[in-house]
Amino acid sequence: MSKTAVSTENAPKPPAKFSQAVRKGNLLQVAGQVAFDPATNAIVGDDVVGQTRQTFKNIEAVLAEAGASLADAIMVRVYLTDTAHFAPFNEVYNELIGDAPHAARTTVYVGLPGELLVEIDVLCVLD
């Protein structure tokens, strides 16, 4: 079974040699997305709420290109730069993630480049 790269102009281009997502069989792994505007590569949002919204917009664009949606997610990994961002991030996450059953989620605190406050990657199983 071969792997297929997924690419869309509606999400930022990766900064290194990897795909926006890779599909193998019915598995789809969306690479870590951040709050870059795909047209300008500028960060959208000056707080974790605004950046989370843009990050999800980018994720949804990649998922749509693969014929998927957040409803197909079985695992979401979130990378935040500050524990103080957890509560506001959760408010946006709970609004955007969709109806139950919800995917499993892991939150990790890391350093991200520049003014980025959040990064998210998603694993989906497709029918």
Side-chain angles (χ1 to χ4, degrees):
M1 186 178 311
S2 64
K3 293 190 290 186
T4 305
V6 175
S7 181
T8 177
E9 295 295 319
N10 297 319
K13 292 185 188 326
K17 190 176 179 179
F18 59 88
S19 303
Q20 291 168 324
V22 172
R23 181 174 182 165
K24 184 169 183 175
N26 67 339
L27 294 178
L28 176 70
Q29 175 64 50
V30 177
Q33 298 293 309
V34 293
F36 288 139
D37 179 298
T40 66
N41 252 2
I43 296 173
V44 176
D46 56 0
D47 63 9
V48 73
V49 169
Q51 288 194 23
T52 299
R53 289 188 184 285
Q54 181 63 40
T55 300
F56 267 100
K57 187 175 178 181
N58 295 338
I59 290 167
E60 289 173 332
V62 175
L63 290 171
E65 184 67 26
S69 73
L70 287 170
D72 297 305
I74 61 165
M75 179 63 186
V76 177
R77 281 179 292 252
V78 177
Y79 306 91
L80 296 174
T81 59
D82 190 328
T83 57
H85 295 155
F86 189 75
F89 168 83
N90 265 342
E91 287 184 31
V92 177
Y93 180 87
N94 290 337
E95 173 191 330
L96 299 178
I97 197 63
D99 294 329
H102 297 288
R105 188 180 101 192
T106 300
T107 303
V108 180
Y109 296 97
V110 298
L112 293 171
E115 300 298 316
L116 291 170
L117 303 174
V118 60
E119 180 176 343
I120 303 170
D121 71 87
V122 179
L123 177 64
C124 296
V125 174
L126 310 178
D127 294 328

